[in-house]
Amino acid sequence: MTSASAQPVDFASLPHAELADDGGRAVDAALLVTSDIVGAVAQAVAQNYAVMPTGGLTSAIGSFDYKRETVSGFTGVVAIRPKGAVSPEPAPEGTPPEGLATNQIMVDAQAGKVAAGAGLTFTQVNSFLAEHVGPTARVLVDLTSIGSAYVGGVVATGAMGPMRMRPSSTLEAVVLADGGPARVLSGEDLDQVEGLQGWTGMVAAAVFRFYEVPASEFGLVLPVQGSDVDAVAGLLSYLDPWTRISLPEAGGRLGNNGTVVNGVELVSKDSLEAFVAHAPEPARTKAQGLLQSCEYAGADQLACITGWSEDGIDDVLFSLMDPETETIGGVMIEYGVGFSSGQEMETFRAIREGAPDMARTKARVKPPGKLKPWTSSTDVNVAAPADTGTIAEVLAAYADYRGAIRALGRELATTGIEVELSAYGHLLPHGIDPHHRVTVFAPEGAEAALAGARQAVLACKRTLIHDLLHLTRRSEARITGGEKGLPSLVEIARAGGGENRLPTELKNRLARARTAVMAAPANFTFRAPAELKSAP
């Protein structure tokens, strides 16, 4: 849709937005849900409203973090959310991407491309492709939350999942609404949108290339000991050939000899225990079985291997196994658990995604007699060669961080402060980013103690980031940012001692982001970090 076709909006009469980000921070804004993003944004900017793009809020970390004085010159703040749908609505033939409503979709099967409105999820997009192209056609946006994250929000956050592929890996074009006519961006101009959290405008639609994947899904869970970094590194290095995805032409078929490992995910034993305490069936029983596997193996973590294959799970296991050692990368498979397509994989996903969801949910809720919890999660994506020694050094930095946090927890326990650590995340050799969420609980009235604990945790986190930056300076590993786009990169820069201490690739990304933010309307940039709103 275009601004010319927009229905007039009475912003003053809109309801208050009952929305909060991952940290439980509420947004002080009115809420508009619309299928016409371009028209709504144009009206909001014309009436001098600050615009807060919102999507599925699957992972809205820090989305509503801004100082009140930054919006004092605006009429108000309006949160604009794309209107979704139970199922996508096919757009009329010939509709250009900038003409799509937020709940519409259009497929060009011959070109291998699909255009989707900002209010659709990737589960909906892939279901539409399965019906209109074929059962194995899909967009390779690999979030674990493809059933809840909106197309617009995924592009804006630059989020990536188990495959460690940013949306721009398969993104053809983005329709951006920033107050004027719709802007269709492609190529290098995608940097003006991806990962910028809506600081330069709001995504109205996006065009993706789609591909054919092998017919069956599989999951394989191997218990591992997190402190044995050499063993885990050996597993990741061994699996590397199956994880290197070389994208064919749009609409083409992925290769890898019929089996593709599209993720190696970490779930810690304590995260699994928390999940079991609250999970519904059948995931609870399956998760209890995985806990037993950890106990039998003397392990404190699970390596969850997922992928696509033309073979069944038994044949996949055989193809991944080293015939000489009868292990997978040196990890014994005796206590491994396999999952295959269908309901089994749905249960597997519920377990894998349940651990981080549980940790995020707990961090939002104020327990009786306690202050609102404070929480922080690591997000540093490290690309390493398939070299056991280098990967082990990356994992050792995280093991040191876990040790420091646990030691801090023991120290603070005597003061009534509770420190919880939950580990989960991504372990592909070319994208190592295990998230370690720390949540601090303090009794009511202990605000000073909570503030002190927060500073201590952040000091540990800065040490981790510093160690990873130092590692990349003396090895072939490199930091590529974080999976939450520019907020993660800004945090890395701050922890590393400033932008000038970053590798050239990251400094250039920050420079491009700064150029885009400084050129964007103030109606969107009010939430951007200070580092991106002025020259360095």
Side-chain angles (χ1 to χ4, degrees):
M1 289 187 174
T2 66
S3 56
S5 65
Q7 295 295 316
V9 178
D10 182 0
F11 290 94
S13 66
L14 292 174
H16 189 270
E18 300 295 331
L19 301 174
D21 66 13
D22 277 3
R25 183 185 290 105
V27 58
D28 184 14
L31 175 65
L32 174 64
V33 179
T34 178
S35 61
D36 180 8
I37 297 297
V38 176
V41 166
Q43 291 186 61
V45 171
Q47 297 180 43
N48 195 36
Y49 276 87
V51 179
M52 171 86 69
T54 64
L57 298 181
T58 297
S59 188
I61 298 173
S63 289
F64 308 149
D65 187 12
Y66 64 90
K67 293 183 173 66
R68 187 171 295 275
E69 56 265 28
T70 62
V71 295
S72 59
F74 293 102
T75 306
V77 182
V78 58
I80 298 181
R81 180 181 238 174
K83 184 177 181 180
V86 175
S87 59
E89 175 189 321
E93 186 174 353
T95 302
E98 60 270 33
L100 289 178
T102 58
N103 61 341
Q104 288 184 323
I105 192 169
M106 175 170 286
V107 174
D108 185 341
Q110 186 171 358
K113 298 174 185 177
V114 56
L120 299 178
T121 70
F122 284 97
T123 292
Q124 291 175 319
V125 172
N126 286 333
S127 295
F128 194 89
L129 286 173
E131 181 179 352
H132 292 83
V133 179
T136 61
R138 68 178 62 200
V139 172
L140 294 184
V141 171
D142 64 316
L143 302 177
T144 56
S145 52
I146 60 172
S148 56
Y150 285 2
V151 165
V154 170
V155 173
T157 59
M160 55 184 175
M163 284 191 291
R164 307 281 77 199
M165 290 172 58
R166 297 189 188 281
S168 54
S169 299
T170 60
L171 187 58
E172 191 77 9
V174 170
V175 179
L176 185 69
D178 62 4
R183 297 171 58 201
V184 181
L185 305 178
S186 59
E188 293 183 355
D189 289 341
L190 294 174
D191 276 352
Q192 299 176 30
V193 183
E194 185 184 47
L196 288 176
Q197 308 288 323
W199 300 332
T200 57
M202 187 166 180
V203 176
V207 182
F208 287 88
R209 298 181 291 278
F210 65 81
Y211 304 91
E212 299 280 346
V213 301
S216 300
E217 288 185 286
F218 69 86
L220 178 62
V221 179
L222 298 177
V224 295
Q225 183 63 35
S227 59
D228 190 351
V229 295
D230 290 329
V232 179
L235 171 67
L236 301 184
S237 179
Y238 177 83
L239 289 173
D240 184 69
W242 285 276
T243 70
R244 296 286 177 173
I245 297 176
S246 179
L247 294 177
E249 294 293 320
R253 183 177 180 79
L254 297 188
N256 286 37
N257 296 319
T259 296
V260 178
V261 171
N262 60 26
V264 183
E265 297 287 281
L266 165 71
V267 176
S268 62
K269 182 180 176 183
D270 49 4
S271 297
L272 194 59
E273 288 171 340
F275 176 76
V276 168
H278 301 90
E281 295 293 354
R284 178 174 181 168
T285 297
K286 280 286 190 181
Q288 286 174 325
L290 295 178
L291 269 177
Q292 287 183 333
S293 296
C294 280
E295 292 166 0
Y296 294 153
D300 64 354
Q301 295 181 359
L302 297 174
C304 303
I305 304 167
T306 59
W308 301 295
S309 181
E310 300 295 349
D311 301 321
I313 184 62
D314 291 337
D315 290 330
V316 168
L317 182 61
F318 182 79
S319 68
L320 295 179
M321 189 171 62
D322 184 336
E324 293 186 6
T325 64
E326 296 188 348
T327 66
I328 296 180
V331 175
M332 300 294 295
I333 63 172
E334 180 180 1
Y335 301 113
V337 179
F339 297 82
S340 56
S341 288
Q343 184 59 48
E344 279 199 354
M345 280 302 294
E346 291 302 317
T347 300
F348 171 81
R349 276 189 281 268
I351 296 170
R352 185 187 63 181
E353 298 162 32
D357 285 346
M358 197 70 66
R360 284 194 291 262
T361 299
K362 193 170 184 180
R364 293 190 192 109
V365 178
K366 180 182 178 299
K370 295 183 182 293
L371 297 170
K372 185 182 180 300
W374 175 83
T375 187
S376 180
S377 180
T378 63
D379 182 22
V380 185
N381 194 69
V382 180
D387 171 72
T388 302
T390 303
I391 297 171
E393 286 192 80
V394 177
L395 298 177
Y398 283 96
D400 290 344
Y401 178 68
R402 290 193 297 273
I405 293 297
R406 285 169 179 150
L408 177 65
R410 290 191 294 270
E411 176 185 341
L412 294 177
T414 60
T415 68
I417 301 290
E418 300 173 41
V419 179
E420 291 190 359
L421 172 64
S422 180
Y424 48 87
H426 317 289
L427 294 177
L428 287 194
H430 54 275
I432 303 171
D433 190 0
H435 306 311
H436 288 56
R437 179 172 293 279
V438 179
T439 306
V440 181
F441 301 87
E444 289 181 345
E447 286 84 357
L450 179 61
R454 171 181 175 175
Q455 292 305 314
V457 170
L458 291 176
C460 293
K461 188 175 178 181
R462 285 194 295 273
T463 298
L464 168 66
I465 295 174
H466 180 272
D467 288 348
L468 292 173
L469 283 168
H470 181 66
L471 167 64
T472 61
R473 294 189 189 105
R474 56 182 174 79
S475 73
E476 294 184 40
R478 60 191 181 90
I479 293 176
T480 63
E483 70 175 38
K484 300 305 178 191
L486 267 296
S488 299
L489 185 50
V490 167
E491 181 181 47
I492 293 168
R494 290 172 178 171
E499 186 174 335
N500 288 333
R501 299 176 69 90
L502 292 178
T504 300
E505 177 186 357
L506 299 187
K507 283 193 288 190
N508 290 341
R509 278 188 61 200
L510 276 173
R512 292 194 299 271
R514 181 179 294 110
T515 298
V517 169
M518 291 180 67
N523 309 70
F524 294 95
T525 63
F526 70 98
R527 295 182 300 119
E531 290 94 330
L532 299 182
K533 291 196 283 189
S534 61

